[in-house]
Amino acid sequence: MNEMERDLLRAIADIESVPQGAYNIRKNGQLEGRSSTANIEIATRTDGKPGIDIHIRPGTKNESVHIPVLVTETGLNDMVYNDFYIGENCDVTIVAGCGIHNCGDQKSEHDGIHTFYVGKGSRVRYVEKHYGEGPGSGERILNPQTVIYLEEGAYMDLETTQIRGVDSTKRYTRVVAGKDAEVVVTEKLLTHGRQYAESEMDVILDGEGATGRIVSRSVAQDESQQIFYPRMVGNAPCFGHVQCDSILMGEAKIKSIPAIDAQHPEAQLIHEAAIGRIAGDQILKLMTLGLTEEEAEEKILNGFLR
């Protein structure tokens, strides 16, 4: 890999070269490298769709899977379907994400559809980062879909981050949680320029004792626009919480439309939403410590999106 590709890997997956353990690296719609382990098998799909199947053996602990995607060609429209089959009583980390470097005048796009089947008692941490760069005038577009099915007692920690440079994104996330299952969805988003971001979430607490939490934190700068549709449905005795916090800067616009839907008399669902500008006293306090106004804003934003 060249230096630019290593920089993309570092931005989206915190690696600079081939990672240890199981991995699948995709570049410009083609397989760049792959490795399976004794407990984690990665195989090309056999149903004709582009993408991979990842099978994780029951009882697998303290192992990771890296599946980053790089797009460095202008005019490329790449789509993948990745399915994860996670056995019972596992504890694993999955690191995904896509980095686009567009130097041309045509759009470069990656659409990833990821489906997770998480077995009883398993714990999964899924981290997905998106990033765009390049001097070209062509758009950098990312449209991810994530679908998760949690069996009894399973736990999923889903963390998605859009760093910078993505001109347009439409994300859809759907989680169905069974008995005593738990899901935490954390979304972090930064838009600038004239970028557009739209995020829809459906978290369905289907089993008795299921719990769900959605935490969305976003910053919209310049003339960018964001819209959120986080929805929590309780079909059983369960607990769910939706929290959306956003910072507006420049002439940006943000719309948040949370919804909670209790379909059982013992479902407990809560939602909170806040949109506003950075408080002036926060900036002044940091400036008294020697920071410029721009440095103070950056410090506040970095802390907010951590």
Side-chain angles (χ1 to χ4, degrees):
M1 287 190 178
N2 58 38
E3 186 62 28
M4 178 266 289
E5 292 167 346
R6 285 193 291 270
D7 287 343
L8 285 179
L9 273 181
R10 189 183 304 115
I12 64 172
D14 295 321
I15 57 176
E16 299 182 24
S17 58
V18 173
Q20 294 184 346
Y23 68 86
N24 187 94
I25 300 176
R26 182 181 179 90
K27 185 175 79 170
N28 295 327
Q30 303 296 324
L31 176 64
E32 181 74 7
R34 176 185 297 168
S35 177
S36 297
T37 67
N39 293 320
I40 301 174
E41 180 186 5
I42 303 176
T44 301
R45 296 181 67 105
T46 58
D47 60 0
K49 294 181 179 179
I52 54 178
D53 288 333
I54 300 96
H55 291 267
I56 301 178
R57 294 181 184 276
T60 299
K61 307 280 188 180
N62 302 318
E63 293 198 37
S64 63
V65 185
H66 287 76
I67 56 165
V69 173
L70 305 179
V71 176
T72 60
E73 293 181 0
T74 191
L76 180 68
N77 190 336
D78 183 35
M79 173 174 278
V80 294
Y81 298 81
N82 297 334
D83 288 354
F84 299 78
Y85 301 91
I86 300 155
E88 297 181 4
N89 299 314
C90 293
D91 191 342
V92 295
T93 298
I94 300 168
V95 181
C98 178
I100 297 178
H101 184 96
N102 191 349
C103 292
D105 58 1
Q106 301 179 64
K107 72 176 182 180
S108 296
E109 179 174 345
H110 174 73
D111 300 335
I113 300 174
H114 293 176
T115 304
F116 295 81
Y117 303 91
V118 184
K120 291 182 180 179
S122 283
R123 298 180 63 86
V124 179
R125 180 171 183 255
Y126 177 60
V127 182
E128 183 177 85
K129 294 182 179 180
H130 291 158
Y131 172 67
E133 64 174 27
S137 60
E139 290 184 302
R140 295 166 289 271
I141 300 173
L142 287 160
N143 296 318
Q145 293 186 33
T146 306
V147 180
I148 301 166
Y149 299 98
L150 299 175
E151 293 188 17
E152 181 178 346
Y155 172 84
M156 184 81 162
D157 182 359
L158 170 61
E159 181 180 314
T160 63
T161 304
Q162 183 170 301
I163 308 166
R164 277 190 178 274
V166 178
D167 295 293
S168 174
T169 185
K170 290 187 177 182
R171 168 183 292 279
Y172 178 68
T173 303
R174 177 181 173 87
V175 183
V176 180
K179 177 179 170 59
D180 294 326
E182 181 179 359
V183 59
V184 179
V185 181
T186 305
E187 182 176 65
K188 304 173 187 177
L189 175 66
L190 174 65
T191 56
H192 54 92
R194 296 178 177 271
Q195 295 172 351
Y196 176 81
E198 182 177 315
S199 177
E200 279 192 79
M201 295 185 194
D202 286 305
V203 174
I204 302 166
L205 305 177
D206 224 24
E208 181 179 353
T211 60
R213 186 181 179 195
I214 297 173
V215 180
S216 175
R217 291 193 171 184
S218 72
V219 176
Q221 299 175 322
D222 306 319
E223 298 176 78
S224 63
Q225 297 184 49
Q226 301 177 8
I227 185 166
F228 299 93
Y229 301 96
R231 298 180 289 261
M232 184 83 68
V233 180
N235 290 331
C238 60
F239 178 81
H241 185 259
V242 180
Q243 179 181 341
C244 301
D245 296 315
S246 301
I247 292 177
L248 277 170
M249 303 179 70
E251 301 300 317
K253 297 178 181 179
I254 297 177
K255 183 183 293 185
S256 180
I257 310 173
I260 51 177
D261 181 2
Q263 294 293 316
H264 191 283
E266 295 185 43
Q268 300 181 56
L269 306 177
I270 303 168
H271 80 71
E272 304 173 66
I275 301 173
R277 296 187 179 275
I278 298 175
D281 58 342
Q282 291 180 296
I283 295 177
L284 288 174
K285 183 177 180 179
L286 289 174
M287 290 177 68
T288 62
L289 300 176
L291 275 65
T292 65
E293 183 175 353
E294 291 77 15
E295 290 170 338
E297 283 187 351
E298 191 68 21
K299 192 79 171 177
I300 292 168
L301 295 183
N302 286 340
F304 180 73
L305 292 173
R306 283 186 62 182

